[in-house]
Amino acid sequence: MIRTAAVVGTGLIGTSAGLALSRRGVRVHLLDIDEAAARVAAARGAGVFGPPAERVDLAVIAVPPTRVAQVVAQQQRLGLAHAYTDVASVKSPATLAVADAAVQDSSYVGGHPMAGSERSGPLAARADLFEGRTWVLTPGARTSSAALNRTLAAVSLCGAVPVVMEPSAHDRAVALVSHAPHLVATLMAARLGDASREALALAGQGVRDVIRVSGGDAALWTDIIRSNAPAVAEILGELMKDLEALTGALNALEVSAPAPEDALGAVRELLRRGRDGWEAVYEPGGAPGQVTLTVPLADRPGEVDRLIDAAQGAGVCPDGIDLCWSQGSSELSARLAAPPLTAESVRRTLADGGWRVSVAATPS
C-alpha cells in the first residue's frame, strides 16, 4: 500500500495519475519545470503543489522518454521517494539509460499505462483515464521487490491492469499498436492540410476517427518516435509494401476495362486482411486477459436496450458488446468483454438487474 506519492511532470498522464491516486486517499505532491502546469494540476485536485518535506512512497516520473533517466537520477539525488516509476511509452532506451545514470536502479520500475488522449496538458486529465486499461511494467534484474510492490499498488489504485513485459518486447508491440498508427494518422491528416473548403465540408466521423490521434503534442511525439525509431521503421516498411501493391492494383483498375481480376483480388484481399485486424481488436473477448460475460436475453421488447444501458453504465465499452443468435436453442444472447479488474463489478450489476451471467477468461 502507498500513502504518499509525487508526480514529476503534470501533463495529461501525470495529472491523471495524480487525480486517480488522490481520489483513493494518497497524498500526492506535484512537481514540474512548468510551474503553471503544476499549479493547474493542483487546482484540479491532482495533489498539492511543491516537493514533500520527506521521502514519499513512490515517485511517478511523467516526462518524455529521452528525459526519464535524467529526471530519475536527479530526483534520486534529492531523495524524493523510496521507489520510482515512469510512464514513458518507450522502455528499452529508458531502462538502459536509468541503469547508467541512476543513483540506485533497484528502486526503479519502468512503466507505461496504455491510455491517453489526442488532447494534452493538465486540463485534459481525468481521474478515470486508466480504469480497466493495461499498464505495462518492465522491472529490471536488479529491481527490488519493495519498489515493484509499491508500483503495483499505485497501478491498482489507478484502476489499471498490470502486465509485466520485457522492455524490447514492449517496444516492438507499441510500435505496431500505437506509434506506427499515430504516424499513419498524421500522414492522412497532413493530406487534409491543403484541402479545399468544399472537401473539408464533407468530412464526417470516418475521417475524424482516422486522424483523431494526430492532434497530439508534436514535440512529445517527436521524442517518442525518436526513442523507438527502428521498430517503427520496420512496421512502416511492411506497410509501404502493402501501399505499393495497392497503388499498383488501383492504377490497373483505372486504365483497364473490364477490370482485371488480379487487381480486384488484390484490393479485396487487403480489405479482408483489414477486417481480420479490426476483428482482432474489436471483437468482444478477443484481447488477451479480457473476461467474457455471456448473458441470455429474454424475448421481450426493450430487453436488448435495457442490457446495453446497464452494461455501459457498469463501464463496458460499446465496442465490447456483441449479440449472438443460436440456431440450436433459438436463443439470443449478449457477449460482453470486460477487463479483469472490473469484470466482477459488471457481473454483479447485471445479476442485480435480473440477468443470468456466465463468465469466462480469455487466455493470455
Side-chain angles (χ1 to χ4, degrees), residues 1-6 25-29 52 54-59 82:
M1 186 63 181
I2 61 171
R3 294 180 173 82
T4 57
V26 177
R27 180 171 176 80
V28 179
H29 296 264
E54 56 187 27
R55 284 180 191 260
V56 295
D57 294 323
L58 179 70
H82 293 288

Side-chain angles (χ1 to χ4, degrees), residues 4 55-59 79-84 104 107-108 144 147 150:
T4 57
R55 284 180 191 260
V56 295
D57 294 323
L58 179 70
L80 177 63
H82 293 288
Y84 301 80
Q104 187 180 20
S107 66
Y108 166 73
S144 70
R150 286 188 171 105

Side-chain angles (χ1 to χ4, degrees), residues 36-61:
R39 289 193 178 278
V40 170
R44 293 208 55 211
V48 296
F49 172 77
E54 56 187 27
R55 284 180 191 260
V56 295
D57 294 323
L58 179 70
V60 179
I61 309 300

